[in-house]
């Protein structure tokens, strides 16, 4: 009897099972995305479904088909990777957030029931109190979390931080904070106002909010930002409006703010009178004579440590400061002064009271990384520019970066080397380092920016 080959209808069809990693993000955007994907899985491909799900199915079917053809019918695994988006100009921490919730009790337990705050029922508060409340989390170094709540009942993310500083009595999010405020202009900004970016199409893509703490200098290009971001609460001199997103961050003034204050100096807010606190002596300028040639004292070492923290690592051959004043300290101080836009006698490399205050209060601009690839005065290679870190490019800075990654414990993807040619192993190691800084999204794409470079060599 002649056996007939099975018809197409009789042949067993391969079964494909999609896999979506379980997400623990509770924010609105991620929750909606998971719901959309779940609905898309239940809809046959011919009927449409979620665009991302359709794309995933097509890629999986094509990959499996290619495996069948090239492998003679055997199962072949095909790894698909998204194309690199290219280097980013600046490293930008991602800050997903939770939704609107009432205050919570201690240790994250639900507090007394009740609806979130109402925009028409705000409490009056002055600007000094707003900044002092913001400093409470800064001093406590509250860890970033979009689901945990601090002991005061506020959620430990960016919008919870502003809700706390404004004493709203509820946890708002970037989609509701503007209901408690009035839009203002850049020129009207005062300490205690906020800079808000809300992306309604995708709240988890870029949405963020920071408190304005005052201008760094008269150019009004940088301001002191109080913000809740990974890994902990921070206060940082920040380009207006927020790194590379000047057009997206909108200034707002809290409707409950009472009166106003004039900063004592650029970027500072006067605090209420109080007695001396521990560490106040270290904040007092010790006098220019402590930084004379050959001077040896603890103030020189303190100055060096503060300068290194602000980007002066490359000026110190051993990467650490000592107690004896030297040209390394003078050059580092001069670089910090020039970063503030000072020239002439104001940037002579000898710290004065203003330089000292900016350093101890962590205000003013950081020392920018230099471009070109040549080692700086301290022997630390300078930032070579983004074009060096592209597939197939060869540059001594790539090898220097690789060695530093290995030194920092982020070299597991190297099978040999590192070498001078930029490759996927370099990118994956950089990505691991960036994620260890708490960065996500485009800020952790594996392409080093100036801030990644500074932290690697710090």
């Amino acid at each position: 009897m002649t056996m007939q080959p099975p018809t197409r209808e009789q042949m067993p069809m391969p079964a494909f099972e999609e896999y979506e990693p379980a997400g623990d993000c509770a924010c609105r955007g991620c929750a909606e995305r998971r719901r959309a994907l779940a609905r898309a899985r239940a809809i046959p491909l011919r009927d449409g479904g979620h665009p991302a799900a359709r794309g995933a199915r097509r890629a999986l079917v094509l990959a499996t088909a290619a495996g069948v053809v090239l492998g003679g019918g055997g199962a072949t695994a095909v790894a698909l990777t998204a194309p690199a988006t290219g280097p980013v100009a600046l490293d930008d921490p991602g800050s997903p957030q939770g939704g609107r919730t009432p205050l919570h009790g201690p240790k994250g337990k639900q507090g007394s029931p009740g609806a979130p705050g109402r925009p028409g029922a705000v409490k009056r508060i002055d600007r000094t109190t707003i900044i002092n409340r913001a400093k409470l989390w800064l001093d406590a170094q509250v860890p970033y979390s979009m689901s945990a709540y601090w002991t005061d009942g506020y959620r430990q993310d960016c919008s919870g931080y502003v809700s706390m500083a404004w004493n709203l009595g509820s946890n708002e999010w970037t989609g509701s904070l503007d209901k408690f405020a009035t839009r203002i202009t850049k020129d009207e900004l005062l300490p205690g106002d906020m800079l808000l970016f809300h992306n309604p199409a995708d709240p988890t893509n870029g949405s963020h909010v920071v408190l304005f703490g005052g201008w760094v200098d008269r150019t009004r290009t940088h301001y002191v930002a109080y913000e809740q971001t990974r890994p902990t609460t921070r206060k940082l001199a920040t380009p207006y409006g927020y790194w590379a997103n000047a057009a997206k961050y909108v200034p707002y003034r809290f409707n409950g703010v009472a009166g106003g204050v004039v900063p004592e100096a650029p970027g500072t807010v006067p605090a209420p009178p109080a007695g001396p606190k521990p560490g106040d002596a270290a904040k007092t300028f010790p006098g220019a004579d402590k930084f004379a040639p050959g001077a040896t004292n603890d103030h020189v070492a303190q100055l060096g440590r503060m300068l290194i923290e602000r980007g002066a690592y490359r000026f110190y051959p051993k990467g650490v400061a000592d107690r004896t004043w030297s040209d390394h300290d003078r050059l580092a101080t001069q670089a910090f002064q020039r970063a503030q836009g000072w020239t002439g006698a104001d940037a002579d490399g000898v710290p004065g009271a203003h330089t000292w205050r900016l350093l101890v209060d962590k205000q003013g601009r950081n020392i920018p990384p230099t471009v070109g690839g040549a080692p700086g005065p301290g022997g630390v290679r300078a930032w070579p520019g983004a074009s060096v870190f592209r597939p197939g490019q060869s540059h001594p800075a790539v090898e220097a970066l690789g060695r530093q990654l290995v030194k920092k414990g982020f070299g597991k993807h190297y099978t040999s080397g590192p070498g001078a040619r930029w490759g996927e192993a370099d990118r994956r190691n950089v990505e691991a380092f960036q994620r260890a800084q708490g960065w996500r999204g485009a800020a952790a794409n594996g392409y080093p920016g100036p801030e990644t470079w500074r932290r690697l060599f710090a």
Side-chain angles (χ1 to χ4, degrees):
M1 181 175 61
T2 303
M3 298 294 293
Q4 295 296 325
T7 65
R8 180 174 181 179
E9 288 75 11
Q10 295 172 327
M11 293 180 64
M13 294 298 292
F16 302 110
E17 181 180 356
E18 294 183 52
Y19 172 69
E20 176 73 14
D24 60 356
C25 181
C27 72
R28 292 185 177 187
C30 291
E32 179 60 31
R33 188 181 296 111
R34 287 195 294 271
R35 287 194 292 270
L37 287 174
R39 290 194 297 268
R41 292 190 183 100
I43 302 174
L45 184 60
R46 65 176 178 274
D47 294 331
H50 193 282
R54 293 202 305 271
R57 289 191 182 96
R58 291 192 187 100
L60 186 56
V61 170
L62 289 173
T64 307
V68 171
V69 173
L70 298 177
T76 304
V78 181
L80 300 177
T81 57
T85 57
V88 290
L90 288 171
D91 303 309
D92 193 11
S95 301
Q97 59 182 319
R100 299 183 70 202
T101 61
L103 288 185
H104 276 50
K107 298 181 180 179
K109 296 180 181 179
Q110 180 69 46
S112 58
R118 293 180 292 110
V122 296
K123 301 174 184 177
R124 302 295 287 174
I125 188 172
D126 61 78
R127 297 184 181 279
T128 299
T129 302
I130 292 174
I131 297 299
N132 286 338
R133 286 176 66 86
K135 289 179 178 178
L136 292 175
W137 279 27
L138 184 68
D139 294 340
Q141 287 294 281
V142 175
Y144 179 87
S145 174
M146 54 177 284
S147 57
Y149 295 79
W150 195 235
T151 55
D152 53 17
Y154 288 95
R155 191 177 55 248
Q156 295 167 212
D157 60 10
C158 63
S159 47
Y161 182 52
V162 174
S163 300
M164 179 277 299
W166 283 359
N167 196 23
L168 294 182
S170 61
N171 288 286
E172 302 300 320
W173 72 306
T174 56
S176 63
L177 279 170
D178 62 329
K179 307 301 188 299
F180 295 81
T182 301
R183 185 167 177 173
I184 58 176
T185 66
K186 174 184 176 181
D187 292 337
E188 294 174 313
L189 276 167
L190 289 172
D193 296 335
M194 74 172 175
L195 287 165
L196 174 71
F197 169 40
H198 177 64
N199 182 4
D202 186 359
T204 64
N205 183 17
S207 295
H208 189 48
V209 61
V210 302
L211 276 173
F212 179 84
W215 295 109
V216 169
D217 55 33
R218 290 180 176 81
T219 65
R220 296 198 169 193
T221 58
H222 288 66
Y223 66 98
V224 176
Y226 291 85
E227 61 179 320
Q228 183 67 4
T229 187
R230 295 183 176 95
T232 61
T233 315
R234 75 179 184 186
K235 171 188 175 185
L236 187 68
T238 304
Y240 187 85
Y242 188 85
W243 301 103
N245 299 305
K248 297 178 181 178
Y249 280 77
V250 180
Y252 283 89
R253 175 158 300 156
F254 178 43
N255 291 334
V257 72
V261 294
V262 179
E264 293 174 330
T268 65
V269 175
K277 298 179 181 179
D280 279 354
K283 294 185 177 182
T284 303
F285 180 58
D289 60 306
K290 301 295 183 182
F291 307 102
T296 300
N297 55 73
D298 291 336
H299 301 293
V300 174
Q302 181 187 355
L303 174 76
R305 289 192 298 268
M306 292 189 296
L307 287 167
I308 289 173
E309 185 180 343
R310 302 299 295 275
Y313 181 87
R314 65 180 183 269
F315 292 94
Y316 292 86
K318 297 180 180 179
V320 295
D322 56 37
R323 299 178 67 251
T324 301
W325 178 261
S326 67
D327 276 345
H328 305 299
D329 302 290
R330 184 184 61 79
L331 291 171
T333 302
Q334 186 178 52
F336 178 77
Q337 292 168 334
R338 287 177 174 173
Q340 314 314 308
W342 305 343
T343 58
D346 293 329
D348 59 1
V350 179
H354 194 184
T355 300
W356 187 265
R357 184 170 66 251
L358 289 177
L359 287 169
V360 298
D361 288 340
K362 300 184 184 303
Q363 296 180 355
R365 300 177 184 175
N366 289 337
I367 298 172
T370 56
V371 177
V380 177
R381 188 172 294 275
W383 162 243
S387 61
V388 169
F389 307 106
R390 292 177 180 172
Q393 288 281 8
S394 292
H395 194 281
V398 175
E399 186 173 359
L401 174 135
R403 290 196 302 269
Q404 197 68 9
L405 285 166
V406 172
K407 181 179 177 181
K408 294 274 188 177
F410 294 91
K412 70 176 184 178
H413 294 292
Y414 289 126
T415 56
S416 62
R421 181 179 291 273
W422 176 260
E424 180 63 12
D426 299 290
R427 191 197 66 79
R428 294 178 68 184
N429 286 329
V430 171
E431 180 183 19
F433 176 79
Q434 290 169 331
R435 289 187 176 276
Q437 313 308 303
W439 303 339
R440 296 294 183 271
N445 65 356
Y447 292 91
E451 180 64 13
T452 299
W453 187 268
R454 186 184 70 80
R455 295 194 184 196
L456 262 175
F457 286 92

